[in-house]
């Protein structure tokens, strides 16, 4: 294995991928093996990950769009390549996200059915048929349902069944059904009817069966009962007949009836309609959203991201799109082949097209009501949030050697250095920078109840935000180390080392405090023993000790810095490692600040990377193991990958990869609600230490930074924010680098290449102000 010197890093290079293939045949993933030279000392490191990488399989990525309507849409059908919708005023066709009234049908529509060769409209005046562009009146009687059965079209009206003959109806059975028929279904070569919660079959010309005593019997099953007699819809799919009720689904298979409810994983029980999907999936409309049931999993679509209104009245599918009729129009869920690699490219494009970059930082967008457009938020933690993007691009460059990734990483790193220089205080990083007169939202809140601290820079027209917290320092130490490992070249190596040492020296020189221009510690910048003796500090000291040990140890190793080495030894003598053991507080559960987990993992990453004392590593590992068990239930991909990379232990890669796949492409923070659901149970194998019962899919909540709680049932900002995707990109490229996720293995260009954006981007205007001073 040849050895290559790359800056300050020695890498052992696998010849022709042979070692990679050998490891995979042994059931091992692979990352990197090598040695690093840090300030004259040598420390070994390993990136080997146990377990085969999760393949980057082609999956179907959802995107949502909505078509508003001033009246409820109550019926839907797909026919002849088009979508038809019905309301109390008539029939509509969907044309390029517009509902166009049909000029020939202006009566209330109750139900629509598309069969092989016709569209059937059940309205106030009876039954009408559309075939080869011609409308024909088939019956003047009210009709409840139409279905195809053994090459015939069967019609239910009142207690009777008929079949279509020419342009009219003729009786199918000699006797009426024992109840008024709501649905007629062809299932496994037998015709079934349902009404008032009673389900029976059609045997020749007789409607209904017989029990063992040869008495008439409605029940179509020998075993089981319906979850409720209030049946809303019936659908045949393969060997199963599904019966939607207000308390879940009945599932008839053979002559056995079982139920699907919240206990079985159904997100919401009050169903309104059923429809087949496009790949053996079942769609369930409910009073609070729609559910896709596929492969034993349930995908829940509700709230502003997916629907104009949560009550779903009808569902239809056409191609790889699903149409959901609601009281305020249509929700449309389109599916497109994707890989995670394609998704990463999509989010990179989103950052550019939506104007989420400025001066080397990445930004969330906020809606400006006066301007009627999105603008960039200049926030409390621009440096901290942009650190995610720096880390992501560092990993991306390590994996791909893409010069674009390197350029993005360098620009972001230099922006973070600039924050430190802006303050004029050695080692003190500003939170954010504002350009006077720029178009955006300037954060005017400070820590706690304090006012924001904005200060003029010596370089006009820039202002910098002070009262910096530990968040900024944690993020910058984590991301700068990754930049140093994987990207830095030439003078950038010295710049990155100096950046880390400067921040560490500030804390050492100020007795473990982050001291602002007024000579006082910032609100959340204290790591000193005096603070730990207060009630607040006693509560905080586990995390604070972890952070400070990580900062000082990193500077000591990276720079071989005597001052940092002595300071670290002093912290050990003050029992800071002992405080770390229980860094994650869990009581009271409702008062937990979930963003602290991100700070902890930023800090664990460097501390366990650089610590080589067996005794101290034992302490830090025990702390990490305890903390990871507390957060493991969230199935956060970045949490999992940090843990796996540091330990080599199983880190639940499959749930992590699923989380990445389920992030919405739409990064708008729509409001969402899940607290009403029926499936709020803690999964087997997990314990909920921090309140809540279960984690939620990003499709059911929204995009997030890794400081967000994945178990939060209700939230969002009503579409007023657009989240930057730096956190997703960090988790994906970290997973690729450490061998948790494989590169895609497909030649399907649809799953690899981005399509043009639909419509014009709706983000912030591109930044056009002054750049950094020299």
């Amino acid at each position: 294995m040849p050895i290559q010197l790359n800056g300050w890093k020695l890498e052992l290079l696998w010849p022709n991928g042979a070692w990679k293939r050998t490891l995979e045949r042994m059931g091992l993933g692979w990352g990197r093996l090598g040695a690093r030279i840090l300030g004259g000392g040598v420390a070994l490191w390993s990136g080997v990950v146990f377990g085969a990488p999760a393949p980057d399989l082609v999956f179907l990525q959802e995107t949502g769009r909505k078509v508003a309507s001033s009246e409820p849409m109550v019926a839907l059908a797909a026919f002849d390549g088009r979508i038809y919708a019905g309301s109390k005023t008539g029939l509509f066709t969907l044309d390029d996200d517009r509902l166009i009234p049909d000029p020939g049908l202006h009566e209330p529509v109750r139900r629509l059915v598309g069969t092989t060769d016709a569209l059937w409209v059940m309205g106030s005046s009876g039954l009408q048929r559309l075939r080869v562009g011609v409308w024909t009146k088939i019956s003047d009687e009210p009709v409840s349902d139409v279905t195809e059965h053994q090459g015939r079209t069967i019609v239910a009206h009142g207690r009777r069944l008929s079949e279509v003959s020419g342009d009219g109806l003729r009786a199918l059975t000699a006797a009426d059904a024992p109840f008024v028929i709501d649905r007629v279904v062809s299932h496994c070569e037998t015709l079934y009817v349902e009404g008032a919660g009673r389900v029976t079959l059609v045997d020749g010309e007789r409607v209904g069966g017989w029990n063992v005593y040869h008495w008439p019997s409605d029940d179509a099953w020998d075993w089981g009962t319906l979850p409720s007699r209030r049946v809303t819809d019936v659908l045949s799919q393969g060997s199963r007949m599904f019966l939607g009720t207000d308390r879940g689904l009945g599932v008839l298979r053979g002559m056995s009836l079982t139920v699907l409810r919240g206990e079985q994983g159904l997100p919401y029980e009050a169903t309104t309609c059923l429809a087949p999907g496009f790949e053996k999936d079942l769609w369930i409309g409910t009073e609070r959203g729609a559910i896709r049931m596929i492969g034993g999993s349930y995908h829940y679509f509700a709230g502003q991201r997916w629907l104009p209104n949560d009550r779903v009245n009808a569902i239809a599918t056409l191609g790889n799109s699903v149409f959901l009729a609601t009281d305020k129009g249509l929700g449309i869920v389109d599916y497109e082949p994707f890989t995670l690699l394609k998704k990463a490219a999509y989010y990179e494009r989103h950052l550019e097209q939506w104007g989420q970059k400025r001066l080397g930082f990445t930004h969330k967008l906020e809606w400006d009501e006066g301007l009627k457009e999105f603008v960039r938020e200049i926030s409390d933690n621009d440096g901290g949030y942009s650190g995610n993007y720096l880390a992501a691009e560092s990993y991306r460059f390590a994996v791909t050697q893409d010069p674009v990734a390197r350029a993005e990483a360098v620009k972001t790193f230099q922006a973070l250095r600039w924050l430190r220089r802006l303050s004029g205080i050695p080692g003190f990083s500003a939170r954010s920078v504002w350009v006077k007169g720029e178009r955006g939202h300037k954060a005017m809140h400070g820590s706690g109840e304090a006012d924001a601290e904005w200060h003029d820079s010596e370089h006009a027209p820039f202002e910098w935000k002070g009262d910096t917290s530990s968040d900024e320092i944690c993020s910058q130490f984590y991301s700068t180390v990754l930049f140093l490992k994987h990207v830095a070249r030439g003078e950038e190596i010295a710049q990155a080392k100096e950046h880390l040492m400067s921040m560490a020296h500030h804390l050492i020189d100020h007795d473990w405090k982050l001291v602002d221009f007024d000579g006082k510690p910032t609100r959340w910048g204290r790591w000193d023993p005096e603070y730990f003796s207060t009630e607040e500090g006693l509560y905080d000291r586990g995390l604070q000790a972890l952070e400070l040990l990580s900062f000082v140890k990193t500077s000591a190793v990276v720079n071989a810095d005597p001052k940092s080495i002595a300071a670290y030894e002093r912290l050990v003598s003050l029992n800071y490692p002992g405080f770390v053991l229980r860094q994650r507080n869990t009581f009271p559960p409702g008062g937990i600040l979930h963003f602290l987990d991100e700070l902890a993992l930023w800090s664990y990453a460097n501390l366990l990377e650089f610590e080589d004392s067996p005794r101290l590593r034992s302490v830090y590992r025990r702390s990490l193991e305890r903390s990871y068990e507390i957060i493991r239930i969230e199935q956060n991909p970045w949490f999992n990958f940090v843990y796996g990379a540091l330990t080599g232990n199983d880190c639940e890669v499959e749930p992590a990869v699923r989380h990445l796949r389920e992030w919405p492409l739409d990064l708008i923070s729509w409001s969402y609600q899940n607290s009403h659901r029926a499936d709020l149970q803690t999964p087997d194998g997990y314990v909920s230490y921090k309140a809540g019962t279960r984690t939620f899919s990003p499709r059911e909540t929204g995009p997030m930074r890794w400081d967000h709680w994945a178990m939060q049932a209700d939230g969002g900002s009503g579409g007023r924010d657009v989240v930057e995707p730096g956190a997703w990109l960090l988790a994906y490229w970290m997973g690729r680098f450490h061998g948790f996720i494989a590169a895609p293995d497909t030649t399907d260009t649809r799953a690899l290449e981005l399509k043009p954006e639909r419509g014009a981007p709706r983000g912030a205007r591109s930044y056009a102000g002054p750049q950094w001073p020299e």
Side-chain angles (χ1 to χ4, degrees):
M1 292 180 288
I3 298 177
Q4 172 178 298
L5 180 65
N6 180 11
W8 53 274
K9 179 176 65 177
L10 287 174
E11 289 190 334
L12 305 182
L13 304 180
W14 305 118
N16 301 320
W19 277 92
K20 175 179 182 290
R21 291 191 294 272
T22 300
L23 285 172
E24 288 176 346
R25 283 197 295 269
M26 293 168 61
L28 303 176
W30 77 292
R32 301 285 191 273
L33 283 177
R36 63 169 181 273
I37 300 176
L38 300 168
V42 177
L44 296 178
W45 66 287
S46 171
V48 170
V49 178
F50 291 90
D56 187 2
L57 301 174
V58 178
F59 63 97
L60 290 178
Q61 173 69 54
E62 314 97 335
T63 55
R65 49 194 171 103
K66 293 171 281 191
V67 179
S69 170
S70 59
E71 58 181 312
M73 293 291 123
V74 299
L76 277 178
F79 173 66
D80 198 22
R82 306 189 74 176
I83 289 293
Y84 293 84
S87 77
K88 65 181 180 181
T89 62
L91 184 68
F92 298 81
T93 54
L94 184 64
D95 182 16
D96 194 23
D97 286 358
R98 294 178 301 154
L99 287 167
I100 310 299
D102 188 288
L105 207 62
H106 296 293
E107 65 180 73
V109 174
R110 296 198 306 270
R111 183 166 172 79
L112 296 171
V113 172
T115 57
T116 302
D117 65 348
L119 174 72
W120 303 88
V121 181
M122 285 148 270
S124 59
S125 68
L127 178 65
Q128 299 195 57
R129 179 185 66 200
L130 174 64
R131 180 190 285 167
V132 292
V134 177
W135 285 102
T136 305
K137 188 71 169 288
I138 302 300
S139 173
D140 292 325
E141 297 182 61
V143 169
S144 58
D145 202 10
V146 173
T147 193
E148 287 183 294
H149 177 66
Q150 296 181 346
R152 298 177 292 174
T153 301
I154 309 301
V155 175
H157 47 116
R159 293 174 178 264
R160 288 173 291 159
L161 291 174
S162 299
E163 63 175 303
V164 176
S165 177
D167 294 338
L169 300 179
R170 68 182 178 195
L172 181 70
T173 57
D176 290 350
F179 46 78
V180 174
I181 301 170
D182 291 325
R183 291 288 182 269
V184 55
V185 181
S186 178
H187 175 64
C188 294
E189 301 187 46
T190 298
L191 199 61
Y192 291 80
V193 292
E194 179 277 328
R198 300 162 69 180
V199 182
T200 193
L201 53 85
V202 179
D203 184 4
E205 293 193 352
R206 189 185 72 244
V207 180
W210 304 96
N211 67 13
V212 68
Y213 300 106
H214 207 65
W215 293 343
S217 173
D218 292 344
D219 286 346
W221 50 85
D222 288 340
W223 307 277
T225 57
L226 277 170
S228 168
R229 285 290 178 177
R230 184 167 171 255
V231 177
T232 55
D233 205 359
V234 184
L235 177 73
S236 172
Q237 192 172 56
S239 62
R240 295 173 293 178
M241 182 192 297
F242 294 95
L243 298 100
T245 80
D246 60 344
R247 297 190 62 198
L249 295 182
V251 184
L252 179 62
R253 190 165 189 164
M255 297 188 73
S256 177
L257 184 69
T258 56
V259 299
L260 293 177
R261 299 183 64 182
E263 294 89 340
Q264 288 75 42
L266 190 68
Y268 198 71
E269 294 180 348
T271 67
T272 54
C273 56
L274 303 171
F278 51 86
E279 54 173 18
K280 298 183 179 179
D281 50 328
L282 172 69
W283 282 81
I284 306 160
T286 81
E287 295 177 1
R288 297 288 294 271
I291 301 163
R292 185 189 189 206
M293 188 174 80
I294 179 168
S297 298
Y298 299 91
H299 303 172
Y300 187 48
F301 297 84
Q304 295 176 308
R305 183 178 309 283
W306 305 109
L307 300 172
N309 178 264
D310 270 355
R311 180 181 174 84
V312 177
N313 302 314
I315 303 175
T317 60
L318 183 62
N320 279 16
S321 296
V322 181
F323 302 82
L324 308 159
T326 79
D327 286 351
K328 293 186 178 179
L330 303 185
I332 305 170
V333 183
D334 298 311
Y335 287 85
E336 179 185 345
F338 257 75
T339 56
L340 290 175
L341 181 63
K342 176 180 173 180
K343 198 166 189 175
Y346 179 92
Y347 287 144
E348 291 282 0
R349 184 177 72 179
H350 192 283
L351 282 165
E352 298 286 349
Q353 291 190 347
W354 282 68
Q356 292 188 283
K357 291 182 179 179
R358 158 194 169 275
L359 293 170
F361 303 104
T362 56
H363 296 272
K364 184 188 82 173
L365 306 183
E366 293 181 342
W367 182 256
D368 188 293
E369 192 59 40
L371 296 173
K372 301 297 182 185
E373 63 184 43
F374 283 111
V375 298
R376 282 171 291 276
E377 177 206 28
I378 313 306
S379 76
D380 238 20
N381 288 296
D382 282 0
Y385 295 138
S386 298
N388 279 332
Y389 188 60
L390 172 57
E393 295 305 289
S394 298
Y395 276 129
R396 178 185 168 201
F397 181 69
V399 172
T400 66
Q401 296 298 297
D402 184 346
V404 174
R406 171 175 155 73
E408 291 295 317
V410 170
K411 186 172 184 178
T412 308
F413 167 68
Q414 297 296 354
L416 299 186
R417 286 185 68 229
W418 182 42
L419 284 179
R420 179 169 57 87
R421 298 198 308 275
L422 269 173
S423 74
I425 305 169
F428 185 95
S429 180
R431 285 179 174 271
S432 308
V433 59
W434 171 258
V435 182
K436 294 178 181 179
E438 73 172 293
R439 197 181 193 90
H441 284 174
K442 180 182 181 182
M444 296 308 296
H445 57 278
S447 297
E449 301 299 322
D451 294 331
E453 294 187 13
W454 285 100
H455 309 288
D456 282 330
S457 165
E458 63 180 21
H459 301 289
F462 300 105
E463 297 179 3
W464 61 274
K465 197 171 194 292
D467 197 25
T468 303
S469 72
S470 57
D471 309 30
E472 292 289 323
I473 312 305
C474 292
S475 172
Q476 292 197 39
F477 264 89
Y478 173 75
S479 57
T480 300
V481 165
L482 291 173
F483 174 77
L484 186 56
K485 280 185 183 180
H486 304 306
V487 180
R489 297 174 180 168
E491 66 178 3
E492 296 158 1
I493 297 171
Q495 290 172 346
K497 290 183 177 183
E498 186 273 336
H499 185 59
L500 296 169
M501 186 166 65
S502 176
M503 291 187 292
H505 281 190
H506 178 99
L507 300 178
I508 296 169
D509 293 342
H510 293 91
D511 299 321
W512 323 122
K513 302 180 191 73
L514 191 61
V515 176
D516 214 330
F517 82 104
D518 58 3
K520 298 178 181 179
T522 64
R523 176 64 182 89
W524 300 113
R526 292 190 64 179
W527 297 265
D528 54 289
E530 293 78 16
Y531 176 63
F532 292 172
S533 68
T534 67
E535 183 177 353
E536 179 180 271
L538 183 65
Y539 188 80
D540 285 348
R541 72 179 184 179
L543 174 61
Q544 298 297 96
L546 169 66
E547 293 171 352
L548 186 62
L549 287 163
S550 181
F551 303 155
V552 178
K553 186 65 176 181
T554 299
S555 176
V557 174
V558 167
N559 292 288
D561 171 39
K563 185 173 183 176
S564 298
I565 293 170
Y568 185 76
E569 292 173 353
R570 174 65 176 158
L571 292 174
V572 173
S573 72
L574 291 172
N575 193 37
Y576 273 58
F579 301 149
V580 171
L581 275 174
R582 285 175 170 78
Q583 75 82 19
R584 195 36 167 130
N585 297 310
T586 59
F587 187 84
I592 295 299
L593 299 175
H594 303 286
F595 74 87
L596 300 180
D597 295 319
E598 183 178 42
L599 275 60
L601 287 172
W602 278 332
S603 303
Y604 279 123
N606 285 343
L607 185 58
L608 279 165
E609 173 80 7
F610 295 123
E611 182 56 72
D612 57 7
S613 162
R615 183 181 69 84
L616 292 177
R617 284 192 62 84
S618 171
V619 173
Y620 301 151
R621 270 296 299 274
R622 277 185 284 154
S623 173
L624 174 63
E625 296 295 335
R626 177 182 182 273
S627 297
Y628 182 64
E629 174 56 25
I630 293 169
I631 62 177
R632 185 171 61 89
I633 187 174
E634 296 190 53
Q635 299 176 348
N636 178 311
W638 182 68
F639 289 1
N640 289 6
F641 294 163
V642 170
Y643 174 78
L646 289 174
T647 67
N649 289 343
D650 171 61
C651 62
E652 306 196 23
V653 171
E654 287 303 325
V657 170
R658 183 168 62 246
H659 180 109
L660 295 174
R661 288 181 180 139
E662 292 178 1
W663 255 52
L665 295 184
D666 172 7
L667 296 178
I668 296 175
S669 176
W670 298 105
S671 294
Y672 59 87
Q673 190 171 27
N674 292 291
S675 55
H676 61 281
R677 289 169 56 163
D679 60 343
L680 301 182
Q681 302 98 26
T682 301
D684 292 341
Y686 295 93
V687 177
S688 179
Y689 296 93
K690 302 193 302 178
T693 56
R694 51 157 293 179
T695 191
F696 295 97
S697 164
R699 80 160 64 86
E700 302 163 356
T701 55
M704 66 185 76
R705 295 158 171 161
W706 299 139
D707 61 358
H708 187 80
W709 189 36
M711 296 172 70
Q712 182 175 327
D714 305 331
S717 64
R720 303 184 66 83
D721 296 335
V722 183
V723 178
E724 79 280 14
W728 190 98
L729 291 165
L730 167 56
Y732 170 70
W733 286 113
M734 182 182 186
R736 285 287 307 274
F737 175 80
H738 285 289
F740 297 117
I741 304 173
D745 183 17
T746 181
T747 58
D748 185 351
T749 57
R750 298 174 306 158
L752 297 171
E753 298 175 1
L754 292 177
K755 296 194 304 187
E757 279 276 34
R758 186 185 180 98
R762 295 170 290 153
R765 302 184 188 186
S766 297
Y767 176 76
Q771 300 299 313
W772 304 332
E774 290 297 328

